[in-house]
Coordinates of all heavy atoms in Angstrom, one line a residue:
V2 N 0.5 2.2 -0.8 CA 1.3 3.5 -0.9 C 1.0 4.4 0.3 O -0.2 4.5 0.7 CB 0.9 4.2 -2.2 CG1 1.6 5.5 -2.4 CG2 1.2 3.3 -3.4
D3 N 2.0 5.0 0.8 CA 1.8 6.0 1.9 C 1.7 7.4 1.3 O 2.7 8.0 1.0 CB 3.0 5.9 2.9 CG 2.8 6.7 4.1 OD1 1.7 7.0 4.4 OD2 3.8 7.0 4.8
L4 N 0.4 7.8 1.2 CA 0.2 9.1 0.6 C 0.3 10.2 1.6 O 0.0 10.0 2.8 CB -1.2 9.2 0.0 CG -1.5 8.2 -1.2 CD1 -2.9 8.4 -1.6 CD2 -0.5 8.5 -2.3
K5 N 0.7 11.4 1.2 CA 0.8 12.6 2.1 C -0.6 13.0 2.6 O -0.8 13.3 3.7 CB 1.4 13.8 1.3 CG 1.6 15.0 2.1 CD 3.0 15.0 2.6 CE 3.4 16.3 3.2 NZ 4.6 16.2 4.0
L6 N -1.6 12.9 1.7 CA -3.0 13.2 2.1 C -3.7 12.0 2.6 O -3.7 10.9 2.0 CB -3.8 13.7 0.8 CG -5.2 14.0 1.0 CD1 -5.4 15.2 1.9 CD2 -5.9 14.3 -0.3
G7 N -4.2 12.1 3.8 CA -4.9 11.0 4.5 C -6.3 10.8 3.9 O -6.7 11.6 3.0
K8 N -7.0 9.8 4.3 CA -8.3 9.5 3.8 C -9.2 10.7 4.2 O -9.2 11.1 5.4 CB -8.8 8.2 4.4 CG -10.2 7.8 3.9 CD -10.7 6.5 4.4 CE -12.1 6.2 3.9 NZ -12.6 5.0 4.5
L9 N -10.0 11.2 3.3 CA -10.9 12.3 3.6 C -12.0 11.8 4.6 O -12.5 10.7 4.5 CB -11.6 12.8 2.3 CG -10.6 13.4 1.3 CD1 -11.4 13.8 0.0 CD2 -9.9 14.6 1.8
P10 N -12.4 12.7 5.5 CA -13.4 12.4 6.4 C -14.8 12.4 5.8 O -15.0 12.8 4.6 CB -13.4 13.5 7.4 CG -12.8 14.7 6.7 CD -11.9 14.1 5.7
D11 N -15.8 11.8 6.5 CA -17.1 11.8 6.0 C -17.6 13.2 5.8 O -17.6 14.0 6.7 CB -18.0 11.0 7.0 CG -19.5 10.9 6.6 OD1 -19.8 11.3 5.4 OD2 -20.3 10.4 7.4
R12 N -18.1 13.5 4.6 CA -18.6 14.8 4.3 C -20.1 14.8 4.0 O -20.6 15.7 3.3 CB -17.8 15.4 3.2 CG -16.3 15.6 3.5 CD -15.5 16.1 2.4 NE -15.6 15.4 1.1 CZ -15.1 14.2 0.8 NH1 -14.4 13.5 1.7 NH2 -15.3 13.7 -0.4
T13 N -20.8 13.8 4.4 CA -22.2 13.7 4.2 C -22.9 14.8 4.9 O -22.8 14.9 6.2 CB -22.8 12.4 4.6 OG1 -22.1 11.3 4.0 CG2 -24.3 12.2 4.3
P14 N -23.7 15.7 4.3 CA -24.3 16.8 5.0 C -25.4 16.3 6.0 O -26.0 15.2 5.7 CB -25.0 17.6 3.9 CG -24.5 17.1 2.6 CD -23.9 15.8 2.8
V15 N -25.5 17.0 7.1 CA -26.5 16.6 8.1 C -27.4 17.9 8.3 O -26.9 18.9 8.5 CB -25.8 16.3 9.4 CG1 -26.9 16.0 10.5 CG2 -24.9 15.1 9.3
K16 N -28.7 17.7 8.1 CA -29.6 18.8 8.2 C -30.0 18.9 9.7 O -30.3 18.0 10.4 CB -30.9 18.6 7.4 CG -31.8 19.8 7.4 CD -32.8 19.6 6.3 CE -33.8 20.8 6.3 NZ -33.4 21.9 5.5
L17 N -29.9 20.2 10.2 CA -30.2 20.5 11.6 C -31.2 21.6 11.6 O -31.0 22.6 10.9 CB -28.9 20.9 12.3 CG -29.0 21.3 13.8 CD1 -29.5 20.1 14.6 CD2 -27.7 21.8 14.3
S18 N -32.3 21.5 12.3 CA -33.3 22.5 12.4 C -33.3 23.1 13.8 O -33.3 22.3 14.8 CB -34.7 21.9 12.1 OG -35.6 22.9 12.1
I19 N -33.2 24.4 14.0 CA -33.2 25.0 15.3 C -34.2 26.2 15.3 O -34.6 26.7 14.3 CB -31.8 25.5 15.7 CG1 -31.3 26.6 14.7 CG2 -30.8 24.4 15.7 CD1 -30.1 27.4 15.2
T20 N -34.5 26.6 16.5 CA -35.4 27.8 16.7 C -34.5 28.8 17.4 O -33.8 28.5 18.4 CB -36.6 27.4 17.6 OG1 -37.3 26.4 17.0 CG2 -37.5 28.6 17.8
I21 N -34.5 30.0 16.9 CA -33.7 31.1 17.5 C -34.6 32.3 17.8 O -35.7 32.4 17.3 CB -32.6 31.6 16.5 CG1 -33.2 32.1 15.2 CG2 -31.6 30.4 16.2 CD1 -32.1 32.7 14.2
T22 N -34.1 33.2 18.6 CA -34.8 34.4 19.1 C -34.8 35.4 17.9 O -33.9 35.4 17.1 CB -34.2 35.0 20.3 OG1 -32.9 35.4 20.0 CG2 -34.2 34.0 21.5
P23 N -35.8 36.3 18.0 CA -35.8 37.4 17.0 C -34.5 38.2 17.0 O -34.0 38.7 16.0 CB -37.0 38.2 17.3 CG -37.9 37.2 18.0 CD -37.0 36.3 18.8
D24 N -34.0 38.5 18.3 CA -32.7 39.2 18.4 C -31.6 38.5 17.7 O -30.8 39.2 17.0 CB -32.4 39.5 19.9 CG -33.3 40.4 20.6 OD1 -34.1 41.2 19.9 OD2 -33.3 40.5 21.8
L25 N -31.5 37.2 17.9 CA -30.4 36.5 17.2 C -30.6 36.5 15.7 O -29.6 36.7 14.9 CB -30.3 35.1 17.7 CG -29.2 34.2 17.1 CD1 -27.9 34.8 17.2 CD2 -29.2 32.8 17.7
Q26 N -31.8 36.4 15.2 CA -32.1 36.5 13.8 C -31.6 37.8 13.2 O -31.0 37.9 12.2 CB -33.6 36.2 13.5 CG -34.0 36.4 12.0 CD -33.2 35.6 11.0 OE1 -32.7 34.5 11.3 NE2 -33.1 36.0 9.8
A27 N -32.0 38.9 13.9 CA -31.6 40.2 13.5 C -30.1 40.4 13.5 O -29.5 41.0 12.5 CB -32.2 41.3 14.4
A28 N -29.4 39.8 14.5 CA -27.9 39.9 14.5 C -27.3 39.1 13.4 O -26.3 39.5 12.7 CB -27.4 39.4 15.9
L29 N -27.9 37.9 13.1 CA -27.3 37.1 12.0 C -27.6 37.8 10.6 O -26.7 37.8 9.8 CB -28.0 35.7 12.0 CG -27.6 34.8 13.1 CD1 -28.5 33.6 13.2 CD2 -26.1 34.4 13.0
Q30 N -28.7 38.5 10.5 CA -29.0 39.2 9.3 C -28.0 40.4 9.1 O -27.5 40.7 8.0 CB -30.4 39.6 9.2 CG -30.9 40.1 7.9 CD -30.7 39.1 6.8 OE1 -31.2 38.0 6.9 NE2 -29.9 39.4 5.7
A31 N -27.8 41.1 10.2 CA -26.8 42.2 10.2 C -25.4 41.7 9.9 O -24.7 42.3 9.1 CB -26.8 42.9 11.6
Y32 N -25.1 40.5 10.4 CA -23.8 39.9 10.0 C -23.7 39.7 8.5 O -22.7 39.9 7.9 CB -23.5 38.6 10.8 CG -22.1 38.1 10.7 CD1 -21.1 38.5 11.7 CD2 -21.7 37.4 9.6 CE1 -19.8 38.0 11.6 CE2 -20.4 36.9 9.5 CZ -19.5 37.3 10.5 OH -18.2 36.8 10.4
A33 N -24.7 39.1 8.0 CA -24.8 38.8 6.6 C -24.6 40.1 5.7 O -24.0 40.1 4.7 CB -26.0 38.1 6.2
T34 N -25.2 41.2 6.2 CA -25.1 42.4 5.5 C -23.7 43.0 5.6 O -23.2 43.4 4.5 CB -26.1 43.5 6.2 OG1 -27.4 43.0 6.1 CG2 -26.0 44.8 5.5
V35 N -23.0 42.9 6.7 CA -21.7 43.3 6.8 C -20.8 42.4 6.0 O -19.8 42.9 5.3 CB -21.2 43.3 8.3 CG1 -19.7 43.6 8.4 CG2 -22.0 44.4 9.1
Y36 N -21.0 41.1 6.0 CA -20.3 40.2 5.2 C -20.3 40.6 3.7 O -19.3 40.6 3.0 CB -20.8 38.8 5.4 CG -20.1 37.7 4.6 CD1 -19.1 37.0 5.2 CD2 -20.4 37.4 3.3 CE1 -18.4 36.0 4.5 CE2 -19.8 36.4 2.6 CZ -18.7 35.7 3.2 OH -18.1 34.8 2.4
A37 N -21.5 40.9 3.2 CA -21.7 41.3 1.8 C -21.0 42.6 1.5 O -20.4 42.7 0.5 CB -23.2 41.4 1.5
A38 N -21.0 43.5 2.4 CA -20.3 44.8 2.2 C -18.8 44.6 2.2 O -18.1 45.2 1.5 CB -20.7 45.8 3.3
T39 N -18.3 43.6 3.0 CA -16.9 43.4 3.1 C -16.4 42.6 1.9 O -15.3 42.9 1.4 CB -16.6 42.6 4.4 OG1 -17.0 43.3 5.6 CG2 -15.1 42.3 4.6
Y40 N -17.1 41.6 1.5 CA -16.6 40.7 0.5 C -17.2 40.9 -0.9 O -16.8 40.2 -1.9 CB -16.7 39.2 0.9 CG -15.9 38.9 2.1 CD1 -16.5 38.6 3.3 CD2 -14.5 38.9 2.0 CE1 -15.7 38.4 4.5 CE2 -13.7 38.6 3.1 CZ -14.3 38.4 4.4 OH -13.5 38.1 5.4
G41 N -18.3 41.7 -1.0 CA -19.0 41.9 -2.2 C -19.8 40.7 -2.7 O -20.1 40.7 -3.9
V42 N -20.1 39.8 -1.8 CA -20.9 38.6 -2.2 C -22.0 38.5 -1.1 O -21.7 38.4 0.1 CB -20.0 37.4 -2.2 CG1 -20.8 36.1 -2.5 CG2 -18.8 37.5 -3.1

Side-chain angles (χ1 to χ4, degrees):
V2 177
D3 187 19
L4 297 177
K5 185 96 170 163
L6 177 65
K8 183 177 178 186
L9 296 177
D11 183 5
R12 295 174 315 282
T13 305
V15 176
K16 186 166 178 93
L17 177 65
S18 182
I19 63 169
T20 302
I21 60 174
T22 64
D24 289 346
L25 180 55
Q26 172 60 24
L29 289 168
Q30 192 58 55
Y32 190 95
T34 300
V35 172
Y36 180 95
T39 301
Y40 297 111
V42 178

